[in-house]
């Protein structure tokens, strides 16, 4: 198994030799967008959905994709095959290229497109079994969290704060409502319905989120997309976070207070099993 591979503007390299200019606008300004795709048994899961979201993020920041989605998919699949890592994470990062520092968009500068494939950082099985603790933090991010921007400083700071407080994830709260985690979407089971915040400009419209909503509906649960006040989240029977690398995790405590029984509940177990089954079917 390889250590992983990098695709940099069409060239395939190892991590040690792949270099980007110090003048890259990703480095200078955080001027770029990205995606992360989970690879199961050597096959990228929901690649099409991720590439479409990358295209949307790129359009929203007025950055044309240098390749068609079909060419990008082919390059990603080739990189995954060459890396030969069955359980991997594929990152795709697109920036506005390398140019002398100036806030204005450069003219005639090709974008930088990077893809990396590495062994996935698996969620420790005990966290899946026992659930995770979450810490709430003020959502101090910008007003376009629907764009998957590489500017992740607020997410980095929040995750670090959570970690220092003994929690696995930080949940952002804006004007009394929960928006999302630093790299996950959030769901609350009230006993009657599965509530998740609306996919507006306040959150990233998660691909895992869409699958969770669909699976919950298929299992006969009522799902609702609306504002989720923090007090309601804290009094929910179950809280679940979902994301590409996270998959689904049960939140058993928020700010040190137990959620429901303080253990992963039946809705989590059912939806996580359904999610894994769906993946098994898709990557067969
Ligand atoms: N919100 C944020 C801020 C994220 O970074 C992620 C992870 N990509 C998600 C939600 C979950 O999105 P997805 O299910 O598409 O990975």
């Amino acid at each position: 198994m390889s250590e992983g591979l990098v695709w940099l503007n069409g060239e395939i390299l190892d991590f040690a030799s792949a270099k980007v200019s110090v003048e890259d606008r990703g480095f200078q300004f955080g001027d770029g967008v990205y995606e992360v795709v989970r690879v199961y048994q050597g096959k990228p899961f929901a690649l099409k959905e991720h590439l479409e979201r990358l295209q949307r993020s790129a359009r929203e920041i007025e950055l044309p994709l240098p390749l068609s989605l079909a060419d990008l998919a082919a390059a990603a699949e080739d990189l995954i095959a060459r890396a030969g890592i069955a359980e991997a994470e594929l990152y795709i990062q697109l920036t506005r290229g390398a140019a002398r520092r100036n806030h204005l968009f450069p003219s005639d500068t090709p974008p930088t497109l990077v893809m990396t494939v590495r062994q996935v950082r698996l969620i420790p099985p005990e966290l899946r079994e026992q659930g995770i603790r979450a810490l709430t933090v003020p959502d101090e991010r910008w007003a376009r969290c629907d764009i998957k921007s590489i500017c992740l400083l607020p997410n980095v700071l929040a995750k670090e704060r959570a970690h220092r407080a003994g929690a696995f994830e930080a949940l952002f709260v804006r004007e009394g409502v929960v928006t999302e985690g630093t790299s996950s979407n959030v769901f609350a089971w009230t006993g009657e319905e599965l509530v998740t915040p609306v996919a507006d400009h306040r959150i990233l419209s998660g691909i895992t989120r869409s699958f969770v909503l669909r699976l919950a509906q298929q299992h006969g649960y009522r799902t609702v997309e609306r504002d989720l006040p923090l007090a309601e989240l804290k009094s929910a029977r179950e809280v679940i976070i979902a994301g590409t690398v996270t998959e689904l995790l049960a939140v058993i405590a928020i700010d040190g207070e137990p959620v429901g029984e303080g253990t992963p509940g039946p809705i989590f177990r059912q939806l996580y099993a359904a999610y894994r089954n769906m993946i098994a079917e898709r990557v067969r």
Side-chain angles (χ1 to χ4, degrees):
M1 190 171 65
S2 73
E3 292 295 308
L5 282 179
V6 180
W7 184 104
L8 172 58
N9 297 324
E11 232 188 312
I12 295 179
L13 301 159
D14 58 24
F15 275 86
S17 1
K19 304 272 190 250
V20 176
S21 165
V22 292
E23 292 200 301
D24 194 276
R25 294 176 63 95
F27 179 64
Q28 294 289 344
F29 298 113
D31 186 359
V33 292
Y34 80 109
E35 276 299 323
V36 53
V37 181
R38 180 71 160 81
V39 175
Y40 293 96
Q41 295 172 37
K43 294 187 189 137
F45 175 64
L47 181 60
K48 181 168 177 285
E49 288 87 339
H50 283 281
L51 292 180
E52 283 170 359
R53 189 172 65 187
L54 181 70
Q55 187 176 42
R56 177 185 183 275
S57 293
R59 184 175 0 102
E60 293 298 312
I61 70 160
E62 299 181 43
L63 176 55
L65 283 178
L67 295 182
S68 68
L69 292 195
D71 288 347
L72 202 48
E77 279 168 350
D78 175 59
L79 188 70
I80 292 164
R82 284 172 193 254
I85 304 171
E87 301 299 313
E89 51 194 29
L90 163 73
Y91 274 83
I92 310 173
Q93 308 224 178
L94 175 70
T95 77
R96 212 177 306 275
R100 179 157 183 180
R101 191 184 170 106
N102 182 347
H103 284 60
L104 292 172
F105 290 1
S107 48
D108 304 324
T109 298
T112 304
L113 180 58
V114 179
M115 290 191 274
T116 60
V117 176
R118 281 211 130 143
Q119 173 112 36
V120 71
R121 294 151 302 163
L122 280 178
I123 301 287
E126 62 273 16
L127 288 186
R128 192 84 63 197
E129 270 305 305
Q130 294 160 15
I132 59 130
R133 298 169 171 279
L135 181 78
T136 61
V137 295
D139 195 343
E140 291 164 344
R141 299 175 301 162
W142 71 330
R144 289 303 306 277
C145 296
D146 57 312
I147 299 172
K148 199 161 170 59
S149 148
I150 61 171
C151 303
L152 291 170
L153 186 56
N155 308 53
V156 165
L157 295 176
K159 180 90 177 184
E160 184 64 26
R161 245 177 89 181
H163 179 70
R164 288 183 189 173
F168 178 80
E169 178 63 302
L171 300 176
F172 288 117
V173 179
R174 191 181 291 240
E175 292 166 355
V177 300
V178 181
T179 53
E180 61 183 339
T182 65
S183 61
S184 58
N185 289 112
V186 63
F187 295 82
W189 171 248
T190 64
E192 278 164 22
E193 53 194 27
L194 189 67
V195 184
T196 197
V198 189
D200 57 19
H201 286 185
R202 292 174 291 181
I203 69 164
L204 182 75
S205 181
I207 289 161
T208 320
R209 173 187 178 278
S210 324
F211 285 122
V212 170
L213 285 174
R214 205 180 308 160
L215 291 169
Q217 288 155 13
Q218 285 168 4
H219 281 79
Y221 297 112
R222 182 142 42 103
T223 62
V224 190
E225 294 172 67
R226 62 161 166 83
D227 276 0
L228 182 53
L230 178 59
E232 190 179 346
L233 184 82
K234 287 191 167 178
S235 61
R237 296 249 190 107
E238 290 187 38
V239 172
I240 297 167
I241 56 168
T244 293
V245 177
T246 310
E247 300 176 327
L248 277 70
L249 282 171
V251 178
I252 55 158
I254 299 174
D255 298 338
E257 301 156 32
V259 172
E261 309 281 304
T263 54
I267 307 293
F268 163 75
R269 293 194 185 285
Q270 204 175 1
L271 291 177
Y272 181 58
Y275 187 73
R276 293 299 312 215
N277 283 340
M278 179 191 66
I279 288 162
E281 274 166 30
R282 284 209 179 193
V283 299
R284 205 166 33 205

